[in-house]
Amino acid sequence: MASVAFRDVRKSFGSTHVLHGVSVEIPDGEFVVLVGPSGCGKSTLLRMLAGLENITGGEILIGGRVVNQVPPKDRDIAMVFQNYALYPHMTVRDNMAFSMKLAQAPKDVMEREVLRAARILGLEALLDRFPRQLSGGQRQRVAMGRAIVRNPQVFLFDEPLSNLDAKLRVHMRSEMKELHQRLRTTTVYVTHDQIEAMTMADTIVVMEHGHVRQAGPPLELYDRPANLFVAGFIGSPAMNLVEGAVTPDGFRCADGTLLPLPRHARPTPGTAVYGIRPEHFRLDPHGMPARVQVVEPMGSETQVVLRIGEVPVTGVFRERIAARPGDLLPVSPDLRLVHLFNKETGERIAPAMEETHA
Amino acid sequence: MSAAAEPHWVHARKEPTALARFFDNKAVLVIACLFPAVGLLTVFLTYPLGLGVFLAFTDTTIGRRGVWVGLENFQYLASDPIFWGAVFYSVFYTAVATVLKFALGLWLALLLNQHTPFKSLIRAIVLLPWITPTVLTAIAFWWIYDPQFSIISWVFVEALGWRTENFNFLGSEWPARFSLIAANVWRGIPFVAISLLAGLQTISPSLYEAALLDGATPWQRFRYITVPMLLPILAIVMTFSIIFTFTDFQLVYAITRGGPVNSTHILATLAFQRGIPGGQLGEGAAIAVAMIPFLVAATLFSYFALARRKWQQGEGND
Ligand SMILES: Nc1ncnc2c1ncn2[C@@H]1O[C@H](COP(=O)(O)OP(=O)(O)O)[C@@H](O)[C@H]1O
Ligand SMILES: [Mg+2]
């Protein structure tokens, strides 16, 4: 096991700059998820850590050692590819034993290690099959098995679940998390799915356009997004973000609608973006009248698309909502959980909200 | 969503005409679809092949309809040293040329599969020997191997001064045999290289990356990833290459005509020699028929030994 560090890592393909100075410190044994929209450079960063792409600038450290010039096989990492990259002409057993075969490990050690990994992943019955004879989930597991037999310092996963169906994905998610709790190997996991990130990570690193937008524990990102991008990316359904201006009376939206701000906190007046998560609206007889547009009952909760004045917002309520489209539903935001962002920079307006929590 | 009272619009179905029903009949369709293929095969493939095989069992000569002589032609050939010489050289020519073509072709394919500058230009150049008409190739090599004007002799004698006399490429039997093989290899490499390049490009780059992380050296990546993944295509290309080489006629006939002293006859040139200039059609046909077992054996070998790979099939558990 080892820690991993990215120090101001840059990458360009020719004149295309893909990563613009990424710095992340990953402590030993942690499960870190790199998340961001497609094309933001997550895979590139992971492949640079693996040694499959050269490093344009900055440093990458594994276990405190700079590995910029270390060839992939000497970095002591194991990677699971998005398409699994199983050797099609080898059985499951040979796929898993390949790295040991290259290292000329003794036969009995090879067999023992393969069986150990197969037992962890429940692959014992499939050892003599070829990849073609396996289902998607089984292939995914073989790819993990191939990584496990290596006993690496760091596991790298590049969107390992994106080729699985929804149900299997949920299952494999908890299986992988459990595996990490058992093995405690430092893991860097890439995904574009913020739910995967939230459920699996010790630390989430949110990336956009080759920049790290915020890094921290999942709930911290959820509770205190550092900027508009993270606010909109983390959480489903996404946070309501409304443009307008802070005034002495509250937050005035473009159409004149007034949204309440915390009473004690009075941020400096000026244009800003008002953020409130759907689940932080509550039904309140004294609240603002909101016109119901669409009601989506999900059993455990109800998602409602509302219009406050002219401002469209989404609300999620634990209660069952009997209202029909066109009805008026009085709601109010939980004032302790209102976020304000600078409209120009997208940064969180911190001091105001700090006071709210105090 | 429309009112239920409104009658649905139904697409009017016309009764099929008698002609349409006739063409919809399965038996008629089967015959109609098979006829062109079967007809073409019969006229252009089966008939000449059948005629050739038939002639092999007759004593036909040019200008005289022969009679059925059974295995007489083959019995005669079995005791003919020139025929056995041609069998030997056919096998030798095919084996050596195939090995060289595949070694050099694979090497070239691996080079072209790298990111080299001017890749498409090099690929186009590589194809040149293949698109050159064979006779042109033959004439070029005939000139290259000429006892007096050979460029190779010129380089060694005049330019480098390493030798005092010209090479005699085609004058004695072993140099002539190897000279023909060299010409055949030159001509055959593009086919092998381009086919194998197509095969190389179907191998997913992530397999190489996975092997790289697993600690494989370049040689091990070649040995454990490239070779097994390429084997099915290699088998097919090799089958074709063997057939083309074994049945080669133009190069050999144009460069040496089987000489000196029949030492470079392959079965195809000997068959032609005996059949057309020699007029012994029956005997020539018998020589040609003698090629069939070799071709069948080569095809079966590469098909069963190389092409069938269990991992490619979705078979059940062992
Ligand atoms: N080999 C390459 N050459 C040029 N551009 C590349 C290459 N690989 C990736 N890119 C570009 O880098 C950006 C980041 O890609 P990637 O890391 O794959 O994104 P993702 O976050 O979806 O995994 C993309 O815009 C992509 O077009
Ligand atoms: Mg990616």
Side-chain angles (χ1 to χ4, degrees):
Chain A
M1 281 183 254
S3 62
V4 170
F6 298 96
R7 306 244 166 97
D8 194 31
V9 169
R10 292 161 189 282
K11 175 74 187 175
S12 1
F13 293 103
S15 59
T16 328
H17 302 286
V18 175
L19 296 174
H20 314 268
V22 171
S23 298
V24 182
E25 300 280 335
I26 301 171
D28 189 2
E30 195 153 287
F31 195 116
V32 170
V33 176
L34 302 179
V35 67
S38 192
C40 71
K42 313 172 296 278
S43 297
T44 306
L45 191 63
L46 196 72
R47 290 166 55 82
M48 286 163 83
L49 176 56
L52 299 174
E53 302 279 359
N54 57 17
I55 300 168
T56 311
E59 281 182 341
I60 295 180
L61 292 86
I62 298 177
R65 177 173 69 131
V66 177
V67 293
N68 285 31
Q69 302 302 331
V70 178
K73 68 181 166 69
D74 300 327
R75 294 192 184 193
D76 206 1
I77 46 109
M79 180 157 168
V80 173
F81 292 80
Q82 180 170 2
N83 64 359
Y84 312 140
L86 299 179
Y87 309 121
H89 54 290
M90 297 184 199
T91 60
V92 169
R93 172 183 277 108
D94 294 340
N95 259 285
M96 295 210 278
F98 189 58
S99 58
M100 289 183 285
K101 181 175 165 185
L102 294 177
Q104 292 172 340
K107 273 252 153 42
D108 53 322
V109 174
M110 242 152 69
E111 188 62 21
R112 196 182 64 218
E113 288 296 302
V114 167
L115 281 179
R116 178 182 69 94
R119 214 166 291 130
I120 291 175
L121 296 164
L123 288 172
E124 294 106 314
L126 306 176
L127 284 177
D128 293 314
R129 295 221 195 156
F130 288 97
R132 210 166 255 222
Q133 304 162 335
L134 301 176
S135 70
Q138 290 166 336
R139 282 179 207 179
Q140 206 277 337
R141 245 179 282 210
V142 176
M144 290 194 356
R146 203 165 64 176
I148 288 173
V149 293
R150 303 263 311 275
N151 281 318
Q153 303 264 19
V154 187
F155 279 127
L156 311 182
F157 294 96
D158 191 354
E159 313 221 4
L161 306 185
S162 59
N163 288 343
L164 305 181
D165 63 66
K167 198 164 175 189
L168 195 55
R169 197 149 56 208
V170 174
H171 174 73
M172 290 307 290
R173 211 157 70 195
S174 51
E175 211 166 273
M176 288 182 73
K177 193 166 175 177
E178 192 200 305
L179 186 69
H180 176 253
Q181 277 153 9
R182 188 137 39 123
L183 301 176
R184 283 273 147 225
T185 307
T186 313
T187 302
V188 184
Y189 183 107
V190 162
T191 178
H192 63 266
D193 180 356
Q194 58 92 21
I195 295 182
E196 255 172 53
M198 289 295 285
T199 49
M200 298 171 83
D202 294 323
T203 298
I204 297 182
V205 177
V206 182
M207 292 178 62
E208 186 203 21
H209 298 323
H211 296 278
V212 172
R213 293 300 181 204
Q214 190 176 3
L219 291 181
E220 191 185 309
L221 266 60
Y222 179 84
D223 289 338
R224 301 179 52 75
N227 49 52
L228 277 174
F229 178 76
V230 178
F233 192 78
I234 298 286
S236 167
M239 185 189 282
N240 298 295
L241 295 168
V242 185
E243 290 187 7
V246 175
T247 67
D249 313 326
F251 186 86
R252 194 166 292 282
C253 309
D255 68 324
T257 311
L258 206 59
L259 296 172
L261 281 172
R263 229 167 288 280
H264 337 288
R266 280 283 169 258
T268 38
T271 56
V273 178
Y274 185 99
I276 179 77
R277 291 200 183 275
E279 52 273 39
H280 297 153
F281 278 111
R282 56 190 151 77
L283 298 179
D284 177 2
H286 309 294
M288 299 171 288
R291 197 162 295 281
V292 174
Q293 308 276 46
V294 181
V295 181
E296 297 176 353
M298 310 220 263
S300 63
E301 52 192 28
T302 312
Q303 190 171 322
V304 188
V305 180
L306 299 161
R307 208 171 260 276
I308 302 175
E310 286 303 305
V311 181
V313 294
T314 305
V316 171
F317 304 94
R318 303 295 302 180
E319 298 87 348
R320 301 212 162 167
I321 307 283
R324 300 238 301 276
D327 290 356
L328 280 177
L329 197 67
V331 297
S332 62
D334 186 335
L335 289 183
R336 292 165 306 164
L337 299 167
V338 169
H339 308 265
L340 276 183
F341 299 94
N342 184 314
K343 196 177 158 202
E344 271 72 46
T345 63
E347 296 301 312
R348 176 187 196 80
I349 299 172
M353 308 320 287
E354 227 98 73
E355 285 172 40
T356 343
H357 282 285
Chain B
M1 277 208 256
S2 64
E6 221 173 280
H8 276 289
W9 180 79
V10 180
H11 178 64
R13 247 174 228 280
K14 280 199 225 93
E15 271 300 300
T17 63
L19 194 67
R21 273 206 307 274
F22 174 75
F23 278 113
D24 270 350
N25 184 319
K26 200 163 179 180
V28 173
L29 268 180
V30 167
I31 292 168
C33 292
L34 274 180
F35 180 75
V38 172
L40 282 174
L41 282 177
T42 311
V43 174
F44 293 110
L45 219 80
T46 316
Y47 174 73
L49 189 67
L51 182 64
V53 173
F54 171 75
L55 283 177
F57 294 93
T58 65
D59 62 356
T60 312
T61 57
I62 290 184
R64 184 174 66 83
R65 185 178 287 277
V67 297
W68 184 265
V69 294
L71 290 174
E72 203 169 282
N73 284 328
F74 294 97
Q75 282 158 358
Y76 169 75
L77 286 176
S79 60
D80 176 6
I82 295 176
F83 170 77
W84 287 113
V87 168
F88 161 75
Y89 186 57
S90 291
V91 173
F92 183 79
Y93 180 77
T94 307
V96 176
T98 303
V99 167
L100 289 177
K101 269 188 273 198
F102 274 78
L104 295 172
L106 181 59
W107 176 70
L108 205 57
L110 289 170
L111 274 187
L112 287 179
N113 200 33
Q114 310 280 328
H115 292 284
T116 37
F118 309 113
K119 195 147 114 182
S120 43
L121 185 72
I122 298 175
R123 274 184 209 178
I125 293 174
V126 164
L127 268 179
L128 272 182
W130 178 250
I131 57 172
T132 317
T134 315
V135 173
L136 209 62
T137 310
I139 293 173
F141 270 93
W142 190 51
W143 204 235
I144 288 173
Y145 294 149
D146 188 274
Q148 276 172 31
F149 303 109
S150 164
I151 174 120
I152 301 175
S153 297
W154 181 85
V155 166
F156 276 81
V157 178
E158 306 284 329
L160 296 171
W162 288 359
R163 281 173 67 96
T164 52
E165 56 186 291
N166 279 1
F167 288 106
N168 190 359
F169 288 105
L170 302 177
S172 49
E173 51 179 84
W174 281 104
R177 284 171 179 161
F178 281 109
S179 299
L180 285 181
I181 288 173
N184 182 278
V185 168
W186 182 83
R187 209 186 133 62
I189 281 180
F191 173 70
V192 176
I194 297 293
S195 312
L196 293 187
L197 180 62
L200 285 176
Q201 284 170 345
T202 64
I203 304 177
S204 160
S206 59
L207 290 185
Y208 291 107
E209 293 179 347
L212 193 67
L213 295 183
D214 274 343
T217 59
W219 165 251
Q220 286 169 326
R221 289 201 293 277
F222 176 75
R223 162 79 184 74
Y224 293 113
I225 310 287
T226 311
V227 172
M229 299 290 291
L230 208 53
L231 221 48
I233 286 182
L234 197 85
I236 292 174
V237 178
M238 192 173 274
T239 310
F240 274 94
S241 176
I242 288 178
I243 291 174
F244 289 153
T245 314
F246 198 81
T247 58
D248 191 9
F249 168 79
Q250 298 181 65
L251 263 187
V252 175
Y253 200 75
I255 297 178
T256 67
R257 288 179 198 272
V261 218
N262 295 325
S263 63
T264 60
H265 262 308
I266 56 176
L267 288 171
T269 53
L270 188 66
F272 178 78
Q273 182 94 16
R274 296 269 167 93
I276 310 297
Q280 303 292 328
L281 272 185
E283 200 184 318
I287 297 172
V289 166
M291 290 164 73
I292 294 175
F294 290 99
L295 294 176
V296 170
T299 311
L300 289 181
F301 166 76
S302 50
Y303 185 74
F304 284 107
L306 302 171
R308 267 173 59 91
R309 280 283 163 264
K310 187 160 172 286
W311 56 268
Q312 293 184 297
Q313 287 137 31
E315 292 174 1
N317 218 345
D318 264 316

Coordinates of all heavy atoms in Angstrom, one line a residue, chain A residues 13 16 18 37-45 53 158-159 190, ligand 1:
Chain A
F13 N -1.8 17.1 -25.4 CA -1.6 16.3 -26.6 C -1.3 17.3 -27.8 O -2.2 17.9 -28.2 CB -2.8 15.5 -27.0 CG -3.1 14.4 -26.0 CD1 -4.1 14.6 -25.0 CD2 -2.4 13.3 -25.9 CE1 -4.4 13.7 -24.1 CE2 -2.7 12.3 -25.0 CZ -3.7 12.5 -24.1
T16 N -3.1 20.7 -27.8 CA -4.3 20.6 -27.0 C -4.0 20.4 -25.5 O -3.3 19.4 -25.2 CB -5.2 19.4 -27.4 OG1 -5.0 19.2 -28.8 CG2 -6.6 19.6 -27.1
V18 N -4.9 19.4 -22.0 CA -6.0 18.6 -21.4 C -6.0 18.8 -19.9 O -7.1 18.9 -19.3 CB -5.8 17.1 -21.8 CG1 -6.8 16.3 -21.1 CG2 -5.9 17.0 -23.3
P37 N -17.5 15.5 -15.8 CA -18.2 15.1 -17.1 C -17.3 14.5 -18.1 O -16.0 14.6 -17.9 CB -18.7 16.5 -17.6 CG -17.9 17.5 -16.9 CD -17.4 16.9 -15.6
S38 N -17.8 13.9 -19.1 CA -17.0 13.2 -20.1 C -16.1 14.2 -20.8 O -16.5 15.3 -21.1 CB -17.9 12.6 -21.1 OG -17.2 11.7 -21.9
G39 N -14.8 13.8 -21.0 CA -13.9 14.7 -21.7 C -13.1 15.6 -20.8 O -12.4 16.5 -21.3
C40 N -13.3 15.5 -19.4 CA -12.6 16.5 -18.6 C -11.2 16.1 -18.2 O -10.5 16.8 -17.6 CB -13.4 16.7 -17.3 SG -13.4 15.3 -16.2
G41 N -10.8 14.9 -18.6 CA -9.4 14.5 -18.4 C -9.2 13.5 -17.3 O -8.0 13.3 -16.9
K42 N -10.2 12.9 -16.8 CA -10.1 11.9 -15.8 C -9.2 10.7 -16.2 O -8.3 10.3 -15.5 CB -11.4 11.3 -15.3 CG -12.5 12.4 -15.1 CD -13.9 11.7 -14.8 CE -14.4 10.9 -16.0 NZ -15.1 11.7 -17.0
S43 N -9.6 10.1 -17.4 CA -8.9 8.9 -17.8 C -7.4 9.3 -18.1 O -6.5 8.5 -17.8 CB -9.5 8.4 -19.1 OG -10.8 8.0 -18.9
T44 N -7.2 10.5 -18.7 CA -5.8 10.9 -19.0 C -5.0 10.9 -17.7 O -3.9 10.4 -17.6 CB -5.9 12.3 -19.7 OG1 -6.7 12.2 -20.8 CG2 -4.5 12.7 -20.1
L45 N -5.6 11.5 -16.6 CA -4.9 11.6 -15.3 C -4.6 10.2 -14.8 O -3.5 9.9 -14.4 CB -5.8 12.4 -14.3 CG -5.1 12.8 -13.1 CD1 -3.9 13.7 -13.3 CD2 -6.1 13.4 -12.1
E53 N 0.6 7.2 -20.3 CA 0.8 8.5 -21.0 C 2.0 9.2 -20.3 O 2.1 9.1 -19.1 CB -0.5 9.4 -20.8 CG -1.8 8.8 -21.3 CD -1.9 8.9 -22.8 OE1 -1.0 9.5 -23.5 OE2 -3.0 8.4 -23.3
D158 N -10.8 2.5 -14.3 CA -11.4 3.5 -15.2 C -12.8 3.1 -15.6 O -13.0 2.2 -16.5 CB -10.5 3.6 -16.5 CG -10.8 4.8 -17.3 OD1 -11.8 5.5 -17.0 OD2 -10.1 5.0 -18.3
E159 N -13.7 3.8 -15.0 CA -15.2 3.5 -15.3 C -15.5 2.0 -15.4 O -16.0 1.6 -16.4 CB -15.6 4.2 -16.6 CG -15.1 5.6 -16.7 CD -16.1 6.6 -17.3 OE1 -17.3 6.2 -17.5 OE2 -15.8 7.8 -17.4
V190 N -12.1 6.1 -11.4 CA -12.6 7.2 -12.3 C -14.0 6.9 -12.7 O -14.3 5.7 -13.1 CB -11.7 7.3 -13.6 CG1 -12.4 8.0 -14.7 CG2 -10.4 7.9 -13.2
Ligands
LIG1 N1 -4.4 10.6 -27.5 C1 -5.1 11.7 -27.5 N2 -4.8 12.7 -28.4 C2 -5.4 13.9 -28.4 N3 -6.4 14.2 -27.5 C3 -6.7 13.3 -26.5 C4 -6.1 12.0 -26.5 N4 -6.6 11.3 -25.4 C5 -7.5 12.2 -24.9 N5 -7.6 13.3 -25.5 C6 -8.5 14.5 -25.2 O1 -8.3 14.8 -23.8 C7 -9.5 15.1 -23.2 C8 -9.7 14.3 -22.0 O2 -9.9 13.0 -22.4 P1 -10.2 11.8 -21.3 O3 -9.1 11.9 -20.2 O4 -10.3 10.5 -22.0 O5 -11.6 12.3 -20.7 P2 -12.5 11.6 -19.6 O6 -12.6 12.5 -18.5 O7 -13.8 11.4 -20.4 O8 -11.9 10.2 -19.3 C9 -10.6 14.9 -24.3 O9 -10.9 16.2 -24.7 C10 -9.9 14.1 -25.3 O10 -10.4 14.5 -26.6

